[in-house]
Amino acid sequence: MKLNFFFDIDGTLLPFEKSIPESAAKAILDAKSKGHRLFLSTGRAPFEVTEELLKLPFDGGVFSAGADILFGDKQVFKAQADENQRRIFLDVAKKYNLLWLIQGSANTFVTEKALDYYYDLSRKANSAVKLRNLKIVESYPDDEPMTKFYIMSEEGKILEARKALEGPFSSVNNTTGLPEENAAELMLAGMTKASGIKRLMSYLGESLESTVGIGDGENDLDMIRVCRLGIAMGNSCRELKENADYITDDVNSDGLANAIRYAIINLSS
């Protein structure tokens, strides 16, 4: 069986503030040479993916936590906030004095204050993620779509804000080790990595029986559940490990390479 691999990025492909391990890059190239498909499955937008990863032979991906799906250069699916969702988000952001990073059409928009706070929190947690295609603004542009959100609160009100946003949006704890009362990931309702994988496999006309999901954070939980084989990195959060079919080694200890080998040996033979 030819497999369809879905890889989370931060903490799975990339250790925080480091390059992709050589063993992981070699394993990816080896899987590709055997005819398996390789997809990214990430909360990042396509324009946020690093040049280092773009050099590897990925076949496309599930981006923006399921709201943006690509197969090669073809746009398979794209979801953006409607006027009601947009209004609700901006109202709640104002009420709770939220700071935000928001994925638009070709940039991630952020205020200078939000960016400073993000980096300050990340430094304290030793989990800084390199951000690309940022555009500093004073307020969110009226003519820009909204696809996915990263919300923060200096006042520790994130959990309250998440409750106020339930319904039009869904949210998960941030996956970079920041305090849950200070930061979270926010998605459009119905958008998850799992929904994106289902849409992509339907587009390809293939079964979920061929899928392998590999991740480390809370936003990977639905992915490892929907894939035939769900693998948690050794550095994963507790809940992901409890729901995984297999737990590999840490991202810094050849974990991804071992996960790929395990999947190929157990599913493709």
Side-chain angles (χ1 to χ4, degrees):
M1 179 189 296
K2 298 303 181 185
L3 303 178
N4 289 286
F5 283 92
F6 290 87
F7 302 99
D8 171 55
I9 294 181
D10 301 302
T12 301
L13 277 165
L14 295 179
F16 292 112
E17 296 187 300
K18 295 181 181 179
S19 296
I20 184 171
E22 184 178 353
S23 63
K26 288 182 177 178
I28 285 170
L29 292 172
D30 180 63
K32 184 69 173 180
S33 72
K34 290 181 168 65
H36 303 295
R37 288 202 190 101
L38 312 169
F39 298 101
L40 296 170
S41 183
T42 177
R44 298 193 194 196
F47 55 76
E48 292 177 324
V49 178
T50 64
E51 294 296 332
E52 178 184 22
L53 293 181
L54 291 175
K55 292 178 182 178
L56 293 171
F58 291 106
D59 295 284
V62 172
F63 300 94
S64 301
D68 196 345
I69 303 172
L70 296 175
F71 181 60
D73 294 328
K74 181 175 176 56
Q75 187 88 57
V76 175
F77 177 80
K78 180 80 169 180
Q80 297 171 338
D82 60 28
E83 287 303 313
N84 185 54
Q85 289 171 313
R86 188 184 185 99
R87 176 186 56 78
I88 290 172
F89 174 78
L90 293 174
D91 286 349
V92 172
K94 182 178 180 180
K95 178 179 179 180
Y96 290 96
N97 197 27
L98 299 181
L99 301 173
W100 42 257
L101 293 89
I102 304 175
Q103 294 172 1
S105 57
N107 297 96
T108 295
F109 292 85
V110 60
T111 63
E112 190 168 351
K113 182 179 181 181
L115 188 60
D116 289 343
Y117 185 62
Y118 170 79
Y119 280 129
D120 182 54
L121 281 178
S122 298
R123 280 192 293 269
K124 291 176 181 176
N126 295 315
S127 61
V129 173
K130 294 178 182 178
L131 302 175
R132 300 179 74 241
N133 286 47
L134 290 176
K135 195 161 188 176
I136 307 296
V137 294
E138 293 184 5
S139 60
Y140 199 78
D142 292 335
D143 59 348
E144 274 291 329
M146 294 176 169
T147 302
K148 182 178 172 287
F149 314 72
Y150 193 90
I151 53 175
M152 300 173 290
S153 170
E154 295 176 298
E155 301 159 13
K157 294 184 177 180
I158 284 298
L159 295 176
E160 297 172 55
R162 286 173 63 176
K163 288 183 180 179
L165 289 162
E166 285 179 2
F169 301 91
S170 61
S171 60
V172 294
N173 290 339
N174 72 89
T175 58
T176 53
L178 308 185
E180 66 176 10
E181 66 270 18
N182 295 115
E185 293 185 43
L186 184 71
M187 291 77 66
L188 304 176
M191 297 300 113
T192 65
K193 291 185 178 183
S195 70
I197 290 170
K198 288 179 180 178
R199 283 190 173 96
L200 181 54
M201 296 309 295
S202 176
Y203 171 80
L204 295 173
E206 297 190 15
S207 168
L208 288 169
E209 287 297 300
S210 67
T211 57
V212 179
I214 310 175
D216 72 299
E218 183 182 329
N219 67 344
D220 297 314
L221 187 58
D222 60 352
M223 174 176 72
I224 68 163
R225 284 172 171 166
V226 79
C227 287
R228 176 174 178 193
L229 177 63
I231 300 178
M233 299 295 290
N235 48 282
S236 296
C237 65
R238 177 184 55 80
E239 189 174 10
L240 201 73
K241 289 181 177 179
E242 290 175 350
N243 285 272
D245 300 307
Y246 176 71
I247 301 172
T248 185
D249 301 298
D250 188 279
V251 64
N252 290 304
S253 301
D254 300 330
L256 189 65
N258 293 337
I260 292 171
R261 283 194 289 269
Y262 177 88
I264 291 174
I265 289 172
N266 286 275
L267 295 186
S268 67
S269 59

